[in-house]
Amino acid sequence: MLLAWPLLAAATVDRLHEGVNLGVRFEAYSPLARTRELFARSLNPLGERRALARYAQRRLEVPEYTVDLAEEEFAVFVPKAPPPPQGYGLLVYVAPWQQATVPRRWQGVFERTGIIYVSAARSGNPEPELPRRMALALHGYGNIVARYHIDAERVYVGGFSGGARIAEVLALAYPDVFHGAVLDGSSDRIGTPLAPLPPPHLLELAQQRLRLVYVYGADDSYNAAQARYSMQSAATWCLPPTYRLVMAGRGHEPADAPTLLRALRLQEPAHEPAPPAATCRARHARQLHDEVAAVDAMLAAGERDAASTALRALDAAWAQSAGDDIRRLADALHYQ
């Protein structure tokens, strides 16, 4: 299911040649990457409040978009084989490096799976996360969908190292776009400020269909542990079963071709549906109700400092999934 609004503003439909395309420039902006949309989906409510307040304090308008596409370049791989009847698959990739490349060892994987690959330049670890790395990934997605027949059930986001962390945030914030994520060599616990929960309707959608595949080298002990914590948190938040692919004898390095192929195969729509999450959601609803009620009780008792501390904890754990309550409490506390 895609969003009801147009995917692109002022879209062009020029196609690229088959194989590797470097230095690609896109002209059309995706509404998915509008600044306020990015804020509302991927920032905690208190963080969103602070970001908007900074614009207001400086008497600045919130920009519609955070990048100038005329200055950006992308790398795109288009399989030579014709797409399946349902359309190509699509992998939007967030790299930790600054160059927009299509790793040679992966090109055969994209041919075998009928997947188009897109990745932005100047989107590596040194760049700001929301205004560049996330925004560029979404613009890349929108422009490819405008040009090619894409199977909406085979749209994935992935990345390596710091790029995998961005891919995880994108997958959670945009489960109406991405059906899965390949988290290669890094991940964060879900339900923390590093991987915040989206608004309730998007969290429910993620719980229905978002598939996370974790990839790491057997010798990459730190990220192996991070993957375990992230997988446990995915289960805590009622997401579908996750998958783990461990590369023997490898350290902190990008997936080899066989592992990437397995990761993409695990994303295929033919896999079993996610188990019902109603019981899990009900448990969270009770927990959230109790935590919100505790902050309300502190406010009623005049314990404003304690209420502010509890509100920050509520924001860190529940993020946009409790956005309405957090915004209400922040207003009552005149939270800045």
Side-chain angles (χ1 to χ4, degrees):
M1 149 177 162
L2 295 178
L3 296 179
W5 56 41
L7 283 173
L8 290 175
T12 59
V13 292
D14 296 335
R15 287 178 176 245
L16 304 168
H17 63 72
E18 296 169 348
V20 176
N21 297 263
L22 301 178
V24 176
R25 293 188 181 273
F26 293 135
E27 299 177 359
Y29 290 81
S30 171
L32 295 166
R34 283 184 173 137
T35 304
R36 289 184 181 272
E37 188 72 15
L38 280 166
F39 284 1
R41 287 178 181 248
S42 57
L43 290 180
N44 288 43
L46 296 184
E48 179 188 11
R49 185 184 183 94
R50 288 190 296 270
L52 294 173
R54 281 195 290 270
Y55 284 106
Q57 289 163 2
R58 298 170 186 172
R59 298 182 180 179
L60 297 173
E61 293 288 333
V62 177
E64 186 173 15
Y65 295 104
T66 56
V67 297
D68 180 357
L69 282 181
E71 299 179 356
E72 307 300 339
E73 293 186 350
F74 295 77
V76 179
F77 183 86
V78 180
K80 297 180 177 63
Q86 305 95 314
Y88 290 109
L90 175 59
L91 175 64
V92 178
Y93 191 79
V94 185
W97 47 79
Q98 292 285 63
Q99 300 81 10
T101 62
V102 185
R104 185 180 296 274
R105 63 183 176 278
W106 294 349
Q107 294 171 24
V109 173
F110 302 139
E111 288 287 359
R112 289 183 63 180
T113 55
I115 286 177
I116 294 176
Y117 164 100
V118 62
S119 185
R122 297 193 301 139
S123 180
N125 289 347
E127 301 295 335
E129 295 183 0
L130 184 149
R132 284 200 57 79
R133 305 184 81 188
M134 293 179 64
L136 287 169
L138 292 165
H139 289 309
Y141 158 80
N143 276 273
I144 293 300
V145 169
R147 287 162 171 75
Y148 293 95
H149 177 36
I150 300 295
D151 181 353
E153 294 192 358
R154 299 181 66 225
V155 176
Y156 316 126
V157 62
F160 170 64
S161 192
R165 298 176 64 197
I166 302 300
E168 184 177 10
V169 175
L170 280 166
L172 291 167
Y174 291 85
D176 46 349
V177 173
F178 301 112
H179 278 247
V182 179
L183 308 180
D184 185 1
S186 195
S187 56
D188 289 303
R189 296 188 198 207
I190 296 166
T192 69
L194 294 175
L197 300 176
H201 69 289
L202 294 175
L203 178 58
E204 185 171 341
L205 188 57
Q207 291 166 342
Q208 293 170 10
R209 72 184 203 184
L210 181 65
R211 297 200 177 276
L212 303 177
V213 178
Y214 296 79
V215 177
Y216 55 86
D219 298 335
D220 187 3
S221 57
Y222 174 79
N223 286 301
Q226 291 300 106
R228 288 193 294 272
Y229 298 143
S230 184
M231 294 174 75
Q232 290 166 4
S233 68
T236 296
W237 289 107
C238 326
L239 295 182
T242 55
Y243 300 92
R244 175 172 54 199
L245 299 178
V246 183
M247 296 184 292
R250 300 294 185 92
H252 187 61
E253 54 192 279
D256 54 33
T259 303
L260 180 62
L261 178 61
R262 290 177 63 199
L264 293 172
R265 293 296 192 203
L266 286 170
Q267 302 282 7
E268 293 294 332
H271 280 266
E272 72 281 358
T279 301
C280 182
R281 290 188 196 124
R283 182 176 70 250
H284 287 147
R286 291 192 297 270
Q287 182 182 350
L288 176 59
H289 175 272
D290 291 345
E291 292 184 23
V292 170
V295 183
D296 277 320
M298 294 174 196
L299 268 171
E303 301 170 357
R304 297 183 69 84
D305 288 344
S308 293
T309 299
L311 175 61
R312 288 193 292 271
L314 192 71
D315 180 74
W318 296 90
Q320 294 289 356
S321 70
D324 289 345
D325 282 315
I326 292 169
R327 282 184 280 272
R328 174 181 62 80
L329 291 166
D331 287 342
L333 285 162
H334 306 293
Y335 189 90
Q336 300 297 322

